[in-house]
Amino acid sequence: MGALTTFELAPALRPAKIDKTATMKRAELHTQLQAAHRRVGVWRDRKPDVGDCQERRILFYFEILNRFDLLRERVRLLDLGGGFSYFAPLAIELGLEIILVDDFAGGGGLELQGSAVEAEAILERMRTRGIQIHTMDILKSPLPAETGSIDIATCFHSMEHWHSSPKPVLQELQRVVRPGGYLLLAGPNALNLRKRITAVFGKSNLSPLAHWYDPPVFREHVREPVVSEFCQMLEWNHFDVRGIWGRNFMGGEGAGMMALPAWLRHFISDGSESFMKVIPSLCSDIHAIGQRRLDGR
């Protein structure tokens, strides 16, 4: 598949426009998600006052799944590198069957759990709730799922941390995702607008040097794909690209932005997203979904 710029995405790659019926459905989805979020706070974190979900990126993941009619009971979802995110618990609250695979060695919200004991207690409560959890290095071991048994595989902001080629993992996903099933990838964009501008002034788009130089184990971003590379990885592994979306969730969380007052940060982030999401290659977050070819080729 040739390189794609944002402006020449074929019609098949553009997300379908949401009509009024779908918009109402989206509102209902958010109502269900917020109710599920409060329930998860009680059983997973022992926090009855957790309130509504404020992570827009997680809500958006479910909007994509909803668009492809994947939020149904008994749908089997394999989540790679999800860590302690609320995504898997919310999905199981909506009736999906969840397999969560991670090494739980850093990132994914691990640093927010306070201690190894509390982290393990949370994982145990997730297992009790029905989430199948596998602690393993996905770059070195086969995925814990039977061939053709997965309806949708997800990998959100994990691939950019992998120190080895993603090829073995993507080939495993070819195996476990059923024909007609889906693979949803999300990650940071190496060529978002901020990085393009700051690079002109000599600032690297990689992690700060000290973050790479000092720690004994580097777990930050190794390689951030761009829009065309997300498409290529799907196509190379027998998934036809069905949608590309750009959003600026990370753009509102950058170190420079966090120094601003909350109201100004949200004003800039939300205001820019309204027009930038039309041009995914300028956004901080790229989302790409592919459908497994029925003929396997």
Side-chain angles (χ1 to χ4, degrees), residues 30-181:
H30 276 244
T31 298
Q32 292 186 23
L33 284 170
Q34 297 300 4
H37 188 266
R38 290 188 287 272
R39 294 195 299 271
V40 170
V42 173
W43 64 256
R44 201 201 84 147
D45 294 335
R46 302 292 194 258
K47 294 180 179 179
D49 58 347
V50 69
D52 287 347
C53 178
Q54 302 299 323
E55 293 190 58
R56 295 187 302 148
R57 69 167 68 177
I58 290 183
L59 298 176
F60 185 64
Y61 299 156
F62 283 101
E63 289 179 20
I64 297 176
L65 297 183
N66 184 50
R67 182 188 293 270
F68 290 88
D69 194 27
L70 291 165
L71 295 182
R72 292 177 285 105
E73 290 190 1
R74 314 303 291 179
V75 164
R76 299 198 77 206
L77 186 150
L78 170 66
D79 186 31
L80 302 181
F84 291 87
S85 161
Y86 260 50
F87 176 74
L90 286 174
I92 203 153
E93 282 290 318
L94 295 182
L96 284 71
E97 296 181 5
I98 308 300
I99 302 173
L100 172 60
V101 182
D102 200 317
D103 63 3
F104 298 100
L110 180 63
E111 66 280 1
L112 303 177
Q113 308 315 319
S115 70
V117 173
E118 177 58 20
E120 183 54 45
I122 290 174
L123 290 178
E124 185 56 36
R125 291 195 287 268
M126 291 167 65
R127 293 187 188 96
T128 301
R129 201 68 176 187
I131 298 174
Q132 300 176 44
I133 296 177
H134 298 266
T135 303
M136 55 180 278
D137 186 340
I138 59 178
L139 296 173
K140 297 179 180 179
S141 305
L143 293 176
E146 297 178 356
T147 299
S149 64
I150 299 299
D151 297 301
I152 168 70
T154 56
C155 185
F156 303 128
H157 291 270
S158 178
M159 185 181 296
E160 67 270 17
H161 297 272
W162 299 353
H163 284 250
S164 301
S165 166
K167 184 175 181 178
V169 182
L170 290 169
Q171 289 180 331
E172 269 292 280
L173 289 170
Q174 283 185 54
R175 178 182 68 81
V176 302
V177 175
R178 64 171 176 78

Side-chain angles (χ1 to χ4, degrees), residues 154-296:
T154 56
C155 185
F156 303 128
H157 291 270
S158 178
M159 185 181 296
E160 67 270 17
H161 297 272
W162 299 353
H163 284 250
S164 301
S165 166
K167 184 175 181 178
V169 182
L170 290 169
Q171 289 180 331
E172 269 292 280
L173 289 170
Q174 283 185 54
R175 178 182 68 81
V176 302
V177 175
R178 64 171 176 78
Y182 294 89
L183 171 58
L184 174 56
L185 304 174
N189 176 17
L191 293 178
N192 69 48
L193 182 60
R194 178 190 62 78
K195 292 172 183 174
R196 295 184 191 215
I197 293 174
T198 56
V200 173
F201 296 97
K203 182 176 175 58
S204 173
N205 66 345
L206 301 175
S207 302
L209 179 62
H211 293 188
W212 171 63
Y213 188 82
D214 289 330
V217 178
F218 177 71
R219 293 188 65 91
E220 295 193 28
H221 296 184
V222 177
R223 182 188 174 101
E224 298 176 354
V226 298
V227 170
S228 62
E229 293 172 338
F230 276 110
C231 292
Q232 286 177 330
M233 285 188 285
L234 289 171
E235 292 281 358
W236 285 344
N237 291 280
H238 309 296
F239 290 86
D240 290 323
V241 180
R242 297 303 186 201
I244 297 287
W245 296 268
R247 291 295 186 273
N248 288 303
F249 304 134
M250 291 184 66
E253 301 169 1
M257 291 287 286
M258 294 305 290
L260 300 175
W263 68 268
L264 181 57
R265 185 169 68 248
H266 290 302
F267 176 80
I268 295 174
S269 177
D270 297 347
S272 64
E273 184 170 288
S274 62
F275 72 89
M276 283 180 59
K277 67 183 181 183
V278 181
I279 311 175
S281 65
L282 297 182
C283 294
S284 64
D285 302 61
I286 302 298
H287 310 79
I289 191 167
Q291 186 172 27
R292 183 78 163 84
R293 294 172 190 157
L294 296 177
D295 60 6

Side-chain angles (χ1 to χ4, degrees), residues 17-34:
K17 293 183 178 180
I18 301 177
D19 59 22
K20 183 176 180 181
T21 302
T23 302
M24 295 299 292
K25 188 176 181 180
R26 176 178 179 273
E28 180 183 352
L29 169 64
H30 276 244
T31 298
Q32 292 186 23
L33 284 170
Q34 297 300 4

